[in-house]
Amino acid sequence: MSCLRCIRNLQRSYSTQSPRSVRGMSDRLGVAEYKHRYIISKAEAAAESYGFEPIHTPILEYSSVYERSLGTDSDVIGKEIYKFLDSSQQWMTMRPEGTAGVARALITNKLEGSMPQKFYYSGPMFRHERPQKGRLRQFEQFGVEAFGASHPAVDIECISMAWQFLNSLNIDGDLSIHLNTLGDRKSRAEYRSALLHYFTESKSRLSEDSLRRLGTNPMRILDSKDEADIAVVKDAPVYMDYLSSTSQERFDFVKLGLDEHQIPYTLDDRLVRGLDYYQHTVWEVSCASDLLGRSQATVLAGGRYDGLTTALGGSRSLPGIGWAAGIERLALLLPDSRTPIPQPAVPILIVPDCSSEPGSRIVDDSLYRYALSVASVVRRQRSAHVVHAPVRSGGNQSALHPPLSKQLASVLSKTPVPPHVLIVGSNEMGQQHVIVRDTATQKQTAVGYDQIASHLES
């Protein structure tokens, strides 16, 4: 009985609380939304300039899609995914990354026989991590995926595209590319064996997580952030010492191509991917900026993942390569002053007739219709909106407007300020014209109804 009472009390307390967003999931509006759109538009322009086409995949996938692609022993699957059993008793997962969904779409839509395919996408991803600066539980990514082409020239194009996109943003901080190769399957197997031997001899110094990884995938230990693990990793075998000659020649081609395109990079032999289908070129782009901090410095990551379609159950083992960028982190690096904000809609202010209520005015229906008609004329060339009366306290929703001075003050307080304001009242309606006010000079001009659009363009 006491438990039931506690539940009822809890329900009652929730019903009286103001709604709040879920921890680690934020709203985006105002300048933040324009900044998001700007970053996405730059990414889309870069992708389309390299012949990539848009694709949209669902936020929800069957859990098996990610378990096959990310591996059941990965931190993402083991600790971070949003997974639930739906009413049909199917395990569903909210997408933690974009690559697996695009690869699944390739198979589902029977595109394996029509290669190559090049896609770009953007949208929300979900991971149950500890929220911090630049890392949310619902976060936005832009990514590209290219399937069906194995030549290292594709690797150069993907890195070049990412570099072009990031430099087009004019963000704060110095960008740098960290580059490595994972070689072919033979190289990977030999390196993995060397790591297993080294870490087994040093296992007394490893963290609990790394001991678990030692039995499943020792390459994941290289990514550990644990200080004790970092000390052990410092003297671990280097991947380059286990590359086959074919893999070395391929990597040399990639490096030469980047040099010829004057794309700077730093070789990083500790940059790896834990999943078996990742091969050859991998890279990350980091930004040195106090706005992010060292732990969140990576803004874009990519790599070649030949064999992912086979892991997902496809009929062919297709070569693939792609990258993804975190929009929230890039937004932190983009100052508001460099964010293009569209010109605001032209406000149409209504001068109401006096009423008996001090400080307020009543708008006649015919004047409202005239204001709406003026807005329609303006919209033939630009955006416009009628400024409506705010709802008054007490639930009274009658059309009562504040004085013109208060309406003007409200319009001029917004960022950015519209260059013109249109004013209409009973006199203007009767004479079929409007007052055009220049917000910079405060000059007001009477303009005929038929000349409104041309006057605003002059």
Side-chain angles (χ1 to χ4, degrees):
M1 190 69 178
S2 59
C3 290
L4 182 60
R5 187 180 299 112
C6 289
I7 292 173
R8 288 174 176 170
N9 289 338
L10 188 61
Q11 291 174 335
R12 190 177 299 111
S13 66
Y14 282 144
S15 66
T16 59
Q17 289 179 356
S18 297
R20 54 196 176 111
S21 61
V22 177
R23 184 169 183 255
M25 300 185 183
S26 61
D27 301 312
R28 189 175 63 238
L29 64 161
V31 176
E33 174 60 18
Y34 287 122
K35 189 179 293 188
H36 175 89
R37 293 185 184 185
Y38 173 68
I39 294 171
I40 294 295
S41 70
K42 287 292 188 178
E44 289 177 344
E48 289 176 358
S49 72
Y50 281 77
F52 283 67
E53 298 179 347
I55 187 173
H56 175 82
T57 61
I59 289 174
L60 277 181
E61 297 275 3
Y62 291 114
S63 296
S64 59
V65 170
Y66 299 110
E67 289 167 359
R68 288 181 178 184
S69 62
L70 297 174
T72 54
D73 65 316
S74 69
D75 285 345
V76 175
I77 296 298
K79 302 177 182 179
E80 299 171 0
I81 62 168
Y82 282 90
K83 179 179 178 180
F84 61 92
L85 195 63
D86 72 3
S87 59
S88 301
Q89 300 304 298
Q90 297 276 1
W91 282 106
M92 310 296 291
T93 294
M94 299 177 73
R95 65 182 179 197
E97 55 87 32
T99 303
V102 175
R104 191 272 312 149
L106 186 84
I107 298 169
T108 302
N109 291 279
K110 305 186 187 311
L111 297 176
E112 293 172 277
S114 179
M115 292 290 117
Q117 295 284 343
K118 301 195 293 185
F119 300 112
Y120 70 81
Y121 59 88
S122 63
M125 313 292 166
F126 303 85
R127 294 189 185 184
H128 195 276
E129 301 178 286
R130 182 172 65 86
Q132 52 188 296
K133 190 176 184 179
R135 185 186 293 270
L136 299 173
R137 289 179 174 176
Q138 177 178 322
F139 56 99
E140 300 279 336
Q141 280 190 347
F142 180 93
V144 303
E145 316 292 348
F147 295 93
S150 61
H151 197 278
V154 182
D155 305 24
I156 297 170
E157 280 194 322
C158 280
I159 297 172
S160 175
M161 183 205 318
W163 192 242
Q164 174 184 318
F165 155 56
L166 291 176
N167 281 279
S168 72
L169 295 175
N170 194 25
I171 58 179
D172 280 341
D174 296 324
L175 294 167
S176 58
I177 298 174
H178 299 260
L179 183 71
N180 196 20
T181 179
L182 304 181
D184 52 21
R185 293 184 184 277
K186 181 176 180 292
S187 305
R188 187 184 184 92
E190 291 185 3
Y191 181 59
R192 178 171 176 158
S193 177
L195 280 182
L196 183 60
H197 177 74
Y198 173 78
F199 286 132
T200 298
E201 289 190 339
S202 308
K203 66 180 182 180
S204 61
R205 299 159 56 197
L206 294 175
S207 67
E208 185 177 339
D209 275 348
S210 289
L211 285 174
R212 176 179 56 82
R213 291 168 178 157
L214 183 61
T216 56
N217 194 335
M219 290 183 66
R220 292 185 183 278
I221 300 175
L222 299 175
D223 289 329
S224 175
K225 301 300 187 291
D226 185 277
E227 291 185 4
D229 292 338
I230 292 173
V232 176
V233 166
K234 184 179 179 181
D235 297 320
V238 177
Y239 213 136
M240 288 294 185
D241 295 339
Y242 297 86
L243 282 183
S244 66
S245 58
T246 303
S247 297
Q248 185 64 63
E249 290 173 4
R250 180 189 179 93
F251 194 44
D252 288 342
F253 183 91
V254 173
K255 291 186 292 182
L256 178 61
L258 295 178
D259 291 338
E260 290 175 343
H261 286 79
Q262 298 182 330
I263 299 175
Y265 60 88
T266 300
L267 296 179
D268 185 349
D269 56 21
R270 296 305 185 200
L271 179 59
V272 297
R273 298 287 186 267
L275 300 172
D276 288 340
Y277 53 75
Y278 272 99
Q279 296 180 35
H280 299 299
T281 312
V282 291
W283 73 95
E284 290 182 354
V285 183
S286 61
C287 184
S289 172
D290 293 337
L291 296 170
L292 290 180
R294 291 179 59 189
S295 63
Q296 308 298 331
T298 301
V299 295
L300 183 150
R304 177 165 284 282
Y305 44 80
D306 300 350
L308 172 59
T309 52
T310 301
L312 288 175
S315 61
R316 297 177 60 190
S317 178
L318 297 172
I321 188 171
W323 55 260
I327 306 304
E328 282 82 6
R329 294 186 190 180
L330 291 174
L332 289 172
L333 297 168
L334 181 63
D336 291 353
S337 59
R338 296 182 202 157
T339 302
I341 297 176
Q343 189 179 85
V346 176
I348 290 101
L349 307 185
I350 301 175
V351 181
D353 295 325
C354 294
S355 74
S356 57
E357 184 175 344
S360 294
R361 306 291 190 272
I362 294 176
V363 173
D364 183 78
D365 286 348
S366 60
L367 183 54
Y368 241 126
R369 287 195 293 271
Y370 182 66
L372 292 171
S373 178
V374 169
S376 296
V377 170
V378 177
R379 289 193 197 105
R380 295 171 187 170
Q381 293 180 313
R382 62 179 63 190
S383 57
H385 70 105
V386 175
V387 177
H388 298 286
V391 174
R392 297 185 299 165
S393 60
N396 190 329
Q397 298 189 24
S398 57
L400 296 175
H401 280 246
L404 177 60
S405 58
K406 288 188 176 181
Q407 294 186 61
L408 279 171
S410 176
V411 167
L412 297 177
S413 67
K414 300 185 183 302
T415 303
V417 175
H420 298 98
V421 173
L422 271 56
I423 302 170
V424 297
S426 298
N427 290 338
E428 288 71 34
M429 179 176 62
Q431 298 176 33
Q432 288 293 289
H433 68 238
V434 300
I435 301 298
V436 179
R437 181 185 177 97
D438 186 308
T439 56
T441 65
Q442 300 185 29
K443 180 182 177 182
Q444 296 190 165
T445 306
V447 178
Y449 182 88
D450 295 333
Q451 283 77 50
I452 297 173
S454 60
H455 181 85
L456 292 175
E457 288 298 316
S458 62

